[in-house]
């Protein structure tokens, strides 16, 4: 309930946005499943996959995910360099 980033993969994380411009993750993220996740987000983007162009995320799966923004509003999903699938009820709509 009221989570800032309910579902997130951020390969471009840069603390305080200093000393790491243009840095890309060399870690490959793949075969990750988010299943039966239900709750509320304090941020409009409740599902965020910000993956590296150098090592994109592959086979990310969303299954039966229902997240809302501030408990009543529709939440959003954001994907960059991420490939995967969604099945069952998935809210917000998948961008995979």
């Amino acid at each position: 309930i009221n989570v800032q980033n309910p579902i997130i993969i951020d390969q471009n994380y840069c603390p305080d946005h200093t000393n790491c411009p243009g840095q890309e993750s060399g870690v490959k993220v793949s075969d990750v499943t988010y299943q039966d996740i239900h709750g509320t987000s304090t941020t409009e983007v409740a599902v965020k996959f910000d993956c590296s162009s150098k090592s994109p995320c592959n086979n990310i799966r969303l299954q039966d995910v229902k997240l809302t923004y501030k408990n009543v509003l529709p939440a959003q999903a954001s994907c960059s360099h991420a490939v995967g699938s969604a099945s069952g009820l998935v809210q917000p709509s998948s961008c995979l």
Side-chain angles (χ1 to χ4, degrees):
I1 296 173
N2 295 325
V3 177
Q4 187 171 356
N5 295 299
I7 295 179
I8 186 170
I9 296 175
D10 188 353
Q11 289 185 296
N12 298 300
Y13 177 73
C14 179
D16 301 321
H17 303 287
T18 58
N19 298 324
C20 48
Q23 176 180 321
E24 292 193 33
S25 175
V27 175
K28 180 84 171 162
V29 177
S30 61
D31 301 319
V32 177
T33 299
Y34 295 93
Q35 183 177 5
D36 294 323
I37 308 290
H38 304 262
T40 59
S41 175
T42 60
T43 54
E44 194 170 0
V45 177
V47 177
K48 181 180 178 182
F49 300 121
D50 186 9
C51 300
S52 165
S53 61
K54 180 180 175 183
S55 299
C57 299
N58 289 310
N59 200 24
I60 307 299
R61 294 180 301 275
L62 297 173
Q63 182 178 358
D64 298 320
V65 172
K66 184 175 181 185
L67 297 168
T68 58
Y69 172 52
K70 293 188 176 177
N71 207 29
V72 293
L73 301 171
Q76 294 182 11
S78 173
C79 294
S80 179
H81 306 290
V83 177
S85 63
S87 63
L89 173 68
V90 176
Q91 292 177 341
S93 296
S94 173
C95 56
L96 294 171

